[in-house]
């Protein structure tokens, strides 16, 4: 079960824009993430590489936590609003719920739930 301090430290890295650092510091080597119901991305190294690719595709990416993370045993739920600014300055936002499973202080699985149509608006 992650402590509140660990969950807050993870969230702070995201809020500070250190998305890759959050993966490298908190995800287990065998972690998996799922975008909605898509096939998972497996392994911390692949997850960090995927995140680097997302970050290079945009001029700026910001994360804002809408409310405190909810912790129940080994599970954490957080509502986020992400803003993606492209090279032309167009901003798209994504309101999502991140559902996480932790093993101690390591994040082992994260599922992102959102309406993908948001990014086209």
């Amino acid at each position: 079960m992650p402590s509140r301090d660990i969950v807050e430290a993870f969230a702070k890295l995201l809020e500070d824009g250190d998305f890759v650092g959050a993966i490298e510091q908190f995800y287990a080597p065998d972690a998996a993430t799922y975008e909605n119901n898509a096939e998972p991305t497996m392994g911390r190294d692949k997850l960090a590489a995927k995140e680097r690719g997302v970050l290079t595709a945009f001029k700026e990416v910001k994360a804002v936590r809408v409310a405190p993370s909810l912790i129940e045993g080994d599970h954490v739920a957080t509502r986020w609003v992400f803003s993606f600014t492209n090279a032309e300055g167009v901003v798209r936002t994504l309101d999502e719920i991140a559902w996480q499973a932790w093993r101690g202080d390591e994040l082992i699985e994260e599922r992102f739930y959102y309406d993908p149509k948001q990014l086209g608006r």
Side-chain angles (χ1 to χ4, degrees):
M1 175 171 85
S3 69
R4 169 67 60 187
D5 289 343
I6 289 294
V7 171
E8 291 300 318
F10 174 79
K12 175 116 175 62
L13 284 177
L14 297 181
E15 292 167 328
D16 289 345
D18 189 3
F19 303 100
V20 174
I23 292 169
E24 293 173 340
Q25 184 173 342
F26 291 100
Y27 282 61
D30 59 341
T33 64
Y34 299 77
E35 296 284 336
N36 282 332
N37 291 317
E39 291 295 313
T41 301
M42 307 284 291
R44 181 174 52 211
D45 293 341
K46 286 183 184 177
L47 293 166
K50 180 180 175 183
E51 194 67 20
R52 283 184 191 96
V54 169
L55 294 172
T56 59
F58 293 96
K59 180 178 167 185
E60 182 176 50
V61 179
K62 289 185 180 180
V64 175
R65 191 164 40 154
V66 176
S69 298
L70 303 175
I71 303 170
E72 180 64 35
D74 291 334
H75 292 94
V76 176
T78 307
R79 181 174 170 210
W80 292 96
V81 174
F82 290 91
S83 299
F84 300 89
T85 305
N86 69 17
E88 292 78 35
V90 176
V91 179
R92 301 275 193 248
T93 59
L94 182 68
D95 189 330
E96 76 172 27
I97 300 294
W99 177 254
Q100 302 169 336
W102 290 72
R103 180 175 52 224
D105 290 338
E106 286 188 314
L107 205 163
I108 59 171
E109 182 181 286
E110 190 165 31
R111 293 179 181 263
F112 305 108
Y113 297 99
Y114 57 89
D115 179 356
K117 293 178 186 173
Q118 295 177 81
L119 292 174
R121 295 180 191 148

